[in-house]
Amino acid sequence: MMDELKRQAAIAALDAVKDGMIVGLGTGSTAAHFIRELGSRVRGGLRVQGIPTSEESSKLALEVGVPLTTLHDQPVIDVTVDGADEVSEGLDLIKGLGGALVREKVVAHASNYVIIIVDESKLSARLGSKAPVPVEVVPFAIDAVRGQLKLWGGEPKIREREGKPFVSDNGNLILDWWHEPIDQPIALEKQIKGVTGVVDSGIFANVAGLVIAATSTGIRMLKRGENN
Ligand code: A5P
């Protein structure tokens, strides 16, 4: 059921993709639906070039026939379609539970338009009530950054996978910072980024132009500037 909602949101995002566009490809199970649907449009004749946000999405895109390019060759992306872990009423996001937050943020910032596709379980009244804030950290600085976040409150935990520290595509570690709900996402995003050793955080304030939320009663289109 949830997977079907994710697929519906992915299909709705395809309307924004036009012939000749450079398309940012997100990471995670919802973005994977989008990449597969985009692949089937490409096989039907649509011409696009994708810029992936992770090794995983790159592999999938190539498998389903989406041609890829790089930010070096195409520094401006027409539209990026990505998932999220939490979306607030103001359309601020928490991302990075899949571990691709840095490349996702780089791609989002190079994009003219960012569409976030989610199922209804990701919608939240206050950012940080459902997900921790992922913080990508250069390994050498992990203890210092952890100490600083602890001073600010909450509990930063080193992310593990199969009993070992999780290593991002960029060779870094991730702290999942369980934190009280966030009232000022723009300020907190800047504050975290100001800590030496932090590469970036999973707070994406002011990034989403459109959130497509698939709910059991239909698709909701949440546009920046309308009711937020
Ligand atoms: C990846 O780093 C994340 O930002 C994903 O966009 C996020 O985890 C959403 O994943 P799902 O679509 O699998 O929930």
Side-chain angles (χ1 to χ4, degrees):
M1 178 61 189
M2 209 56 105
D3 202 53
E4 181 48 30
L5 290 182
K6 291 178 181 185
R7 200 173 74 89
Q8 283 172 15
I11 290 171
L14 280 173
D15 282 350
V17 180
K18 309 285 181 226
D19 207 47
M21 279 188 167
I22 306 297
V23 183
L25 307 172
T27 295
S29 57
T30 319
H33 278 295
F34 174 77
I35 295 170
R36 281 192 214 98
E37 296 295 335
L38 187 63
S40 86
R41 298 292 167 102
V42 168
R43 294 194 295 281
L46 180 73
R47 286 166 307 157
V48 292
Q49 287 181 290
I51 299 192
T53 52
S54 61
E55 301 300 330
E56 186 187 310
S57 293
S58 168
K59 194 165 160 260
L60 177 62
L62 292 173
E63 268 168 32
V64 300
V66 177
L68 297 181
T69 183
T70 62
L71 275 177
H72 178 74
D73 289 335
Q74 297 288 349
V76 179
I77 297 174
D78 295 298
V79 63
T80 285
V81 179
D82 201 350
D85 301 302
E86 189 170 335
V87 177
S88 73
E89 285 169 358
L91 305 194
D92 295 318
L93 317 170
I94 291 181
K95 289 180 51 52
L97 263 59
L101 63 111
V102 171
R103 293 191 192 183
E104 288 173 343
K105 204 178 272 195
V106 172
V107 164
H109 282 237
S111 303
N112 286 333
Y113 197 46
V114 176
I115 300 177
I116 297 297
I117 49 176
V118 290
D119 64 75
E120 58 194 339
S121 70
K122 308 287 185 57
L123 301 176
S124 145
R126 291 182 75 201
L127 203 66
S129 8
K130 294 183 180 227
V133 177
V135 181
E136 184 159 331
V137 179
V138 171
F140 187 74
I142 194 74
D143 294 315
V145 173
R146 195 177 183 187
Q148 177 60 68
L149 297 182
K150 257 191 171 166
L151 279 179
W152 287 337
E155 188 54 41
K157 290 201 176 111
I158 298 176
R159 185 179 299 178
E160 295 192 349
R161 190 173 278 176
E162 289 159 6
K164 295 197 192 111
F166 171 85
V167 178
S168 74
D169 283 350
N170 314 305
N172 297 316
L173 299 173
I174 293 188
L175 289 168
D176 284 316
W177 187 21
W178 289 96
H179 189 279
E180 61 192 34
I182 300 160
D183 291 323
Q184 313 253 7
I186 297 177
L188 187 61
E189 185 178 2
K190 281 202 183 122
Q191 188 182 345
I192 299 170
K193 182 120 190 198
V195 179
T196 302
V198 167
V199 183
D200 222 315
S201 79
I203 300 177
F204 285 51
N206 256 334
V207 166
L210 171 67
V211 173
I212 302 178
T215 76
S216 44
T217 53
I219 296 279
R220 285 177 66 197
M221 297 281 189
L222 309 167
K223 285 198 186 113
R224 178 161 298 280
E226 283 179 10
N227 311 315
N228 54 59

